[in-house]
Amino acid sequence: GAVVSQHPSRVICKSGTSVKIECRSLDFQATTMFWYRQFPKQSLMLMATSNEGSKATYEQGVEKDKFLINHASLTLSTLTVTSAHPEDSSFYICSADGGALTSTDTQYFGPGTRLTVL
Amino acid sequence: EDKVVQSPLSLVVHEGDTVTLNCSYEVTNFRSLLWYKQEKKAPTFLFMLTSSGIEKKSGRLSSILDKKELSSILNITATQTGDSAIYLCAVEVASNTGKLIFGQGTTLQVKP
């Protein structure tokens, strides 16, 4: 149980284009999902908290108009990187709160999406 | 500002060695401390600690929290090459969203 998937796993795009990344909880419902980015040899940095049916909460320094988050259902959240630039190249990871599924009440992470902007 | 600091940042050992990874934190409204192992992709959950002084153990891995010292350690005994990974410490801040603050991670390399 507690499986989180992400799609695509890897994407290469041209500068100026937009890229959408999907995060799905496969066997549980997640009212809250989290989006992180990770640069090489660095830790995970929380970008935003995605709440089903409401606006996402962004961390300080994260541009909400550039990183659009939509949490349309209890099993799906999407992150759209708009007008991507090379500095947006990174590893994007989502997580979902396992909630009542397990006793550990922890977040379960998706496999991540490697974004490369040329 | 909430922060989590891990040490060392990197470590190279040989198979069979025992390692101790450190995590210290300064956060408001501490809820729990979590350890994750990250290999090539996403982190996988190891332990969640909420109470001071109670050791959690899973095979060769164990971890303990010291709320007085605001720190935790992760021990790995009889290391194997498969233990090579980045070990991440995260602190959950008490809120209605379960926000995690991650440390920089410790990169462990176990040589044969």
Side-chain angles (χ1 to χ4, degrees):
Chain A
V3 177
V4 177
S5 70
Q6 272 184 251
H7 178 79
S9 59
R10 183 182 294 267
V11 58
I12 300 172
C13 68
K14 292 182 178 180
S15 187
T17 60
S18 294
V19 175
K20 180 186 281 189
I21 303 170
E22 293 186 349
C23 175
R24 294 181 185 272
S25 55
L26 298 185
D27 49 5
F28 65 100
Q29 293 182 331
T31 54
T32 304
M33 291 184 174
F34 303 87
W35 286 96
Y36 298 85
R37 64 189 297 181
Q38 185 178 34
F39 292 106
K41 297 185 179 181
Q42 294 187 27
S43 191
L44 279 71
M45 297 296 295
L46 179 65
M47 298 175 66
T49 302
S50 170
N51 300 295
E52 187 268 336
S54 64
K55 290 184 179 180
T57 302
Y58 290 81
E59 293 300 300
Q60 192 172 10
V62 178
E63 299 176 59
K64 62 180 181 180
D65 294 330
K66 181 168 182 62
F67 298 100
L68 300 178
I69 291 173
N70 187 340
H71 195 150
S73 76
L74 288 172
T75 59
L76 172 65
S77 175
T78 61
L79 168 67
T80 301
V81 183
T82 62
S83 186
H85 288 93
E87 58 265 31
D88 298 323
S89 299
S90 187
F91 191 52
Y92 292 86
I93 306 177
C94 73
S95 71
D97 193 327
L101 184 70
T102 71
S103 61
T104 56
D105 188 25
T106 186
Q107 293 180 25
Y108 292 89
F109 287 84
T113 297
R114 175 77 58 193
L115 170 63
T116 302
V117 184
L118 302 176
Chain B
E1 183 184 347
D2 295 336
K3 64 178 179 180
V4 178
V5 177
Q6 291 184 245
S7 64
L9 294 181
S10 65
L11 192 56
V12 181
V13 301
H14 287 92
E15 274 192 317
D17 289 349
T18 293
V19 298
T20 299
L21 310 182
N22 301 286
C23 176
S24 62
Y25 60 90
E26 289 181 31
V27 301
T28 53
N29 300 319
F30 173 90
R31 180 177 177 183
S32 64
L33 185 145
L34 301 96
W35 284 96
Y36 291 88
K37 177 182 181 181
Q38 184 178 25
E39 295 176 87
K40 291 184 179 178
K41 291 190 175 180
T44 53
F45 172 78
L46 294 176
F47 299 110
M48 184 174 78
L49 305 161
T50 54
S51 301
S52 219
I54 299 175
E55 184 183 55
K56 291 215 172 176
K57 196 170 173 66
S58 176
R60 297 176 293 104
L61 277 67
S62 64
S63 183
I64 196 162
L65 176 67
D66 187 337
K67 282 188 174 179
K68 186 177 178 183
E69 296 297 324
L70 305 182
S71 65
S72 174
I73 59 170
L74 174 68
N75 279 318
I76 308 175
T77 59
T79 52
Q80 302 171 358
T81 55
D83 295 327
S84 297
I86 299 173
Y87 289 85
L88 296 167
C89 171
V91 171
E92 183 180 9
V93 177
S95 69
N96 59 355
T97 60
K99 173 180 171 179
L100 292 180
I101 301 167
F102 280 86
Q104 321 95 300
T106 294
T107 300
L108 173 66
Q109 182 183 359
V110 181
K111 292 187 173 181

